[in-house]
Amino acid sequence: MSEDFSGLGLSAKVTDAVAAAGYTKPTEIQAQAIPHVLQKQDIIGIAQTGTGKTASFVLPMLTLLESGRARARMPRTLILEPTRELAAQVAENFEKYGKNHRLTMALLIGGVSFDDQNKVLDRGADVLIATPGRMLDQFERGRILLSGVDILVIDEADRMLDMGFIPDIERICGLLPPRRQTLFFSATMPPEIERLTKRFLRDPVRLEVARKNSTAETIDQKLVKVSSKPEDKRAVLRQLIRGADSLTNAIIFCNRKRDVATLARSLQRHGFSVGALHGDMDQKSRMETLDAFKTNKLTLLVASDVAARGLDIPAVSHVFNFDVPTHAEDYIHRIGRTGRAGRAGTSLTLAAPADGKYLDAILKLIQKDIPLLKVDGEASSATEAVADDEPRSEPRSRRGRGRDKRSDDAKPAREPTEARPPREKPEAKPQREKSPRPQRDERPASKSGRDPEYASDTPFGSDGPVPAFLLRSSVAR
Ligand code: AMP
């Protein structure tokens, strides 16, 4: 592996920008992918977010884009992202690493006006970053010609699959010149994704930076047995947060978006610095919360899977799974929020007796056991834990070792009313095979039932203000 960026074949403009960003050593996916991309080869990169995969395609693309220039309505490169947030992150990367270039970037995502982006496209865009539906809309309106695309990036392909975007991806691939270069990234490679790569990539180089379906080695994973009562789970969570070693900030995942709000309110009442991120929030609140968390104004972020997926939040020290995810792959994505780019991280998963089958699926997927954080010395691993009867519900301090005297640990008078009705269903994930075609946006049809996170979602970006950098057209001036 290349020790620094100088041996990878990147241009001086790019290596200077990388140095200015403070990165001295390429990550594994960067060291592996960059030379192949520069040689114009197709690649399949199996890498989770947090591995530095964005720069693994942005840096060589910038180098390749230095020769040639954009023509009106004919973007030279196309990057497809499943969500607006991810598209915005990639755009931020182009701004950061492209600061020594004079390249033009257009964004076709919800929340960014068509008019502004059409002006950029009309002038000629070097880089087009889009969600699949928006891209096709603009193509059908005759605003974009795809015959000049030299490089196509399909990012987070497994997420595209979850969101029902594969038919759109297939269509877009069919509209592009066959002799393009395709860079394909996915955290996991389910069969539908393998099929897609066979159809649309030419002799791809396959790169894998972590074992398939593996969790980062730098994450210290633990399991904590709890009862299924929400108020007991909240008490255990508070206990864990207070007792956590070197917790600087944490994301706490819930399966249901209504539980996100409930838990955040509860933690707030107990004196924690906490924000919530879920699909029912408008874009402005989501942006504000995310910014506050990124800038350490908030220590804890309670989130649902869809709201948090793929967001680049560097240096999260802890991830808590307030609920065991019902889809095993979400476990990998959730805990992947910590232990990023080689940093150490801790994940703590609260498991109730009814979670046994979900936990089994997770253990099967990650192919290792999750040690139990012993609260009472019974079991020592997840395998044993799921076989147990109802675990006790109270944290250790309330039992053998004496009561935690801190006043904010006492249950507040209003807390029992927060408990959700017992028959509420979890936010089930969409069935992959049966997904109907999504609407022309990065969101699936809101009434489709494929992703209930979106069922009553205000589309992120549809009404509220758009961050300033999204509205700028030039990567660098
Ligand atoms: P990504 O996997 O692309 O979401 O990147 C994860 C994080 O790693 C981002 O915050 C990047 O800014 C950061 N990063 C990317 N490349 C490097 C590098 N070579 N060294 C250190 N951090 C990096």
Side-chain angles (χ1 to χ4, degrees):
M1 192 159 79
S2 188
E3 274 305 298
D4 59 32
F5 282 95
S6 64
L8 297 176
L10 294 165
S11 68
K13 280 183 186 172
V14 173
T15 49
D16 287 353
V18 168
Y23 302 146
T24 49
K25 199 172 173 290
T27 64
E28 203 182 339
I29 186 73
Q30 290 163 5
Q32 287 192 37
I34 290 170
H36 292 295
V37 179
L38 290 173
Q39 282 160 23
K40 307 240 41 160
Q41 286 175 286
D42 282 7
I43 64 164
I44 299 174
I46 305 167
Q48 295 168 237
T49 52
T51 54
K53 75 172 162 63
T54 315
S56 80
F57 61 84
V58 171
L59 302 180
M61 281 173 79
L62 282 165
T63 299
L64 292 172
L65 281 165
E66 284 174 22
S67 52
R69 54 190 297 261
R71 284 185 285 160
R73 286 201 251 167
M74 289 177 77
R76 300 165 66 196
T77 58
L78 171 63
I79 300 171
L80 295 174
E81 293 288 336
T83 65
R84 301 170 202 197
E85 289 92 335
L86 282 166
Q89 275 175 204
V90 173
E92 275 178 329
N93 271 260
F94 266 99
E95 290 225 324
K96 182 161 70 175
Y97 303 126
K99 70 190 192 78
N100 301 322
H101 295 71
R102 294 186 59 82
L103 298 172
T104 309
M105 173 173 70
L107 264 172
L108 289 182
I109 58 174
V112 176
S113 101
F114 275 148
D115 283 350
D116 290 346
Q117 299 307 300
N118 284 339
K119 279 182 202 141
V120 181
L121 286 165
D122 285 347
R123 283 202 305 272
D126 297 288
V127 183
L128 173 58
I129 305 170
T131 47
R134 276 280 167 137
M135 224 252 23
L136 279 174
D137 266 348
Q138 288 303 76
F139 176 79
E140 278 161 8
R141 288 173 204 207
R143 306 298 319 199
I144 319 170
L145 299 170
L146 294 173
S147 49
V149 173
D150 288 330
I151 305 175
L152 167 69
V153 179
I154 300 174
D155 195 18
E156 303 260 336
D158 51 355
R159 185 80 186 116
M160 300 268 198
L161 177 71
D162 281 347
M163 296 179 74
F165 287 145
I166 297 303
D168 283 348
I169 301 281
E170 288 174 329
R171 186 147 172 246
I172 293 168
C173 285
L175 295 168
L176 296 171
R179 294 209 61 79
R180 64 171 188 271
Q181 180 181 17
T182 307
L183 314 176
F184 192 98
F185 291 89
S186 195
T188 55
M189 289 297 282
E192 301 93 322
I193 293 294
E194 290 281 4
R195 271 201 295 281
L196 201 63
T197 61
K198 288 202 174 74
R199 208 169 136 202
F200 293 111
L201 274 70
R202 278 184 306 134
D203 301 327
V205 180
R206 198 180 174 97
L207 309 170
E208 191 163 351
V209 294
R211 187 163 48 86
K212 221 187 221 182
N213 298 332
S214 71
T215 48
E217 295 302 322
T218 48
I219 305 170
D220 179 21
Q221 302 173 53
K222 292 280 180 340
L223 197 75
V224 180
K225 292 197 297 176
V226 289
S227 89
S228 46
K229 284 191 199 147
E231 58 270 32
D232 289 347
K233 288 174 77 175
R234 288 195 289 267
V236 173
L237 177 71
R238 292 195 297 272
Q239 188 83 7
L240 291 170
I241 296 170
R242 290 188 180 117
D245 275 344
S246 59
L247 184 148
T248 50
N249 56 358
I251 305 181
I252 303 161
F253 284 97
C254 296
N255 287 358
R256 304 166 187 83
K257 56 189 166 189
R258 61 182 297 175
D259 289 351
V260 169
T262 306
L263 181 59
R265 273 200 307 273
S266 166
L267 287 166
Q268 211 164 28
R269 273 203 290 272
H270 280 270
F272 292 95
S273 157
V274 58
L277 203 68
H278 61 79
D280 277 351
M281 292 163 62
D282 62 33
Q283 182 219 4
K284 190 165 172 284
S285 320
R286 283 168 72 156
M287 276 292 186
E288 281 170 3
T289 305
L290 199 56
D291 270 0
F293 187 64
K294 279 184 171 179
T295 52
N296 299 321
K297 290 185 192 105
L298 291 173
T299 309
L300 306 175
L301 184 67
V302 187
S304 62
D305 288 293
V306 172
R309 179 79 81 111
L311 293 182
D312 177 28
I313 304 163
V316 176
S317 73
H318 285 65
V319 166
F320 294 92
N321 287 313
F322 185 72
D323 303 303
V324 174
T326 52
H327 288 261
E329 281 177 13
D330 282 340
Y331 179 80
I332 295 176
H333 286 284
R334 286 183 183 186
I335 75 163
R337 315 309 311 172
T338 187
R340 311 196 86 193
R343 295 183 192 101
T346 303
S347 81
L348 291 154
T349 300
L350 305 192
D355 294 324
K357 68 174 179 190
Y358 302 128
L359 211 46
D360 280 346
I362 291 168
L363 298 179
K364 206 168 145 207
L365 184 70
I366 65 173
Q367 293 171 22
K368 61 180 170 193
D369 208 2
I370 308 173
L372 193 69
L373 186 66
K374 285 190 187 179
V375 284
D376 53 10
E378 290 162 8
S380 60
S381 72
T383 324
E384 286 175 59
V386 296
D388 276 358
D389 290 327
E390 177 89 3
R392 71 155 194 245
S393 58
E394 291 196 341
R396 180 165 43 182
S397 66
R398 296 200 174 188
R399 293 193 157 206
R401 286 196 298 134
R403 220 186 139 85
D404 187 337
K405 295 281 191 302
R406 275 174 290 207
S407 60
D408 61 354
D409 201 33
K411 209 181 272 183
R414 277 187 298 152
E415 187 155 311
T417 58
E418 295 163 358
R420 63 183 166 74
R423 284 192 298 141
E424 188 200 349
K425 289 224 174 71
E427 285 186 348
K429 266 185 91 175
Q431 288 296 308
R432 285 180 165 160
E433 298 286 331
K434 293 174 196 143
S435 300
R437 187 182 162 79
Q439 279 179 343
R440 283 295 158 79
D441 197 353
E442 65 273 40
R443 294 292 162 95
S446 60
K447 298 279 187 292
S448 70
R450 283 186 297 108
D451 194 336
E453 174 73 29
Y454 293 132
S456 53
D457 230 358
T458 304
F460 189 18
S462 62
D463 302 317
V466 169
F469 79 88
L470 291 186
L471 298 172
R472 289 199 294 273
S473 58
S474 291
V475 175
R477 277 150 287 263

